[in-house]
Amino acid sequence: MTKKDLEDIIQTAKAAGADVKVVQIGSTEKEVDERPAVPLLKLELSIKKDGDALSVLSHGDWNTLGSLFLEMAPINVDIEKVKEMFTPAKNAFNHCCNELNNYIQEQYKGALEDEKERIRRKSC
């Protein structure tokens, strides 16, 4: 419960006619912020220039820290079952990455042919 929640409760109680005496709100201990999320699965897509060409690099993998977090959780999570749940997503991601790579290669090939044709016409 936050300090704001406590203040709202106190105001509501006072509005209802309760005799409320506040001694202290909060504590002497530092309030703990919400813990950050632990990454579990990473699907990453990058585009890299290779000489004059472009390549698509995909990386879909499990984060070790997230996997360990689930395995150590006191709720008996079978990490292999979790991985099975996301296998279709990883496969679809890899398929999309391959499609993008093919599309970029086709566009690049077409641009090279157009440039060769432009140079040929210019030289005539």
Side-chain angles (χ1 to χ4, degrees):
M1 187 174 292
T2 67
K3 183 177 179 179
K4 171 93 172 84
D5 293 333
L6 289 172
E7 290 172 344
D8 290 345
I9 291 169
I10 292 166
Q11 290 304 320
T12 303
K14 285 182 178 179
D19 183 21
V20 178
K21 181 179 177 188
V22 179
V23 176
Q24 179 181 354
I25 294 180
S27 67
T28 56
E29 296 177 12
K30 183 180 177 184
E31 289 185 27
V32 178
D33 293 338
E34 188 175 310
R35 293 181 182 176
V38 178
L40 180 61
L41 173 63
K42 182 177 185 177
L43 301 176
E44 184 177 63
L45 175 66
S46 305
I47 297 176
K48 178 181 176 188
K49 188 168 191 256
D50 265 338
D52 289 335
L54 294 175
S55 329
V56 173
L57 306 171
S58 65
H59 180 72
D61 205 4
W62 293 98
N63 185 288
T64 305
L65 182 60
S67 297
L68 285 173
F69 178 81
L70 278 181
E71 288 175 355
M72 301 298 285
I75 55 172
N76 193 25
V77 174
D78 180 359
I79 193 67
E80 292 306 316
K81 185 172 183 173
V82 173
K83 287 181 179 182
E84 286 175 19
M85 290 177 201
F86 284 93
T87 297
K90 283 180 64 177
N91 291 343
F93 175 75
N94 288 330
H95 174 76
C96 291
C97 293
N98 290 336
E99 290 287 315
L100 176 60
N101 190 50
N102 291 340
Y103 175 70
I104 287 175
Q105 298 311 317
E106 288 171 11
Q107 295 302 312
Y108 182 73
K109 183 179 176 183
L112 283 179
E113 289 171 1
D114 290 347
E115 182 65 12
K116 286 178 184 176
E117 180 62 23
R118 187 186 68 76
I119 290 171
R120 187 188 67 75
R121 287 182 183 174
K122 191 175 182 180
S123 64
C124 291

